[in-house]
Amino acid sequence: MKNKSKLKRIRQTNEKALRKPREWLYLCPFELTVAELAQALDGEEISVQVWNEAGVAEIELPEAKSIDFEATEADLKDDYSNAFLAEHGTKSLFYVTIDPENYQQVERIFRLILEKKGGIICGDTEDFAPVIHL
């Protein structure tokens, strides 16, 4: 019986993780480089690798997982999406890739970045949900 209840908890945890998108967007209200983004995590015990030329920052998580931020032009190629960017005063845009199974750790790091750099982080979905902001 114990194994059945443990298996059920594991399945429920995995189902919750699957509800979170793998692809996200970070909308920053001012010009921001990946190096400056990484500085938001200074003083935390978090390892960050930055490739300035590629515009990529990789934030390392336990179990060989990571959060990847990739700088891109603040233009999502359609009127609806660009209106969303304009509504939030977006000057810098980053594509963000996560492992949904580590969402609790990811959300903590998202909030650290938002506390120090501002902006919002939203799902790269049709309705930009979920949205994380302070």
Side-chain angles (χ1 to χ4, degrees):
M1 284 301 209
K2 284 186 178 183
N3 286 340
K4 283 187 178 182
S5 65
K6 183 175 182 180
L7 183 58
K8 183 179 177 181
R9 281 195 312 270
I10 290 170
R11 283 189 183 137
Q12 288 173 339
T13 301
N14 288 340
E15 287 172 12
K16 287 179 186 176
L18 294 175
R19 293 183 199 141
K20 300 296 182 194
R22 180 174 296 281
E23 305 294 327
W24 294 75
L25 300 169
Y26 172 41
L27 288 59
C28 185
F30 55 87
E31 295 293 326
L32 186 70
T33 66
V34 288
E36 293 166 334
L37 174 74
Q39 289 173 353
L41 301 173
D42 284 353
E44 303 292 328
E45 292 187 18
I46 299 170
S47 177
V48 182
Q49 293 186 4
V50 175
W51 294 273
N52 288 314
E53 299 79 26
V56 173
E58 179 184 75
I59 301 167
E60 296 176 11
L61 299 174
E63 302 174 17
K65 307 288 184 182
S66 66
I67 305 171
D68 300 322
F69 283 80
E70 181 181 347
T72 188
E73 182 182 344
D75 180 4
L76 293 176
K77 310 293 187 224
D78 70 85
D79 293 339
Y80 173 77
S81 300
N82 285 334
F84 184 81
L85 296 180
E87 178 184 330
H88 293 282
T90 306
K91 301 287 187 232
S92 295
L93 178 65
F94 296 84
Y95 288 113
V96 184
T97 306
I98 70 163
D99 179 357
E101 289 182 20
N102 292 338
Y103 184 73
Q104 286 181 325
Q105 294 171 331
V106 169
E107 185 176 19
R108 183 179 79 79
I109 291 171
F110 280 176
R111 291 191 180 282
L112 286 170
I113 291 168
L114 294 174
E115 283 174 16
K116 295 186 180 168
K117 299 297 180 183
I120 68 166
I121 297 177
C122 59
D124 188 3
T125 60
E126 286 184 21
D127 61 357
F128 300 102
V131 176
I132 300 170
H133 55 84
L134 299 180

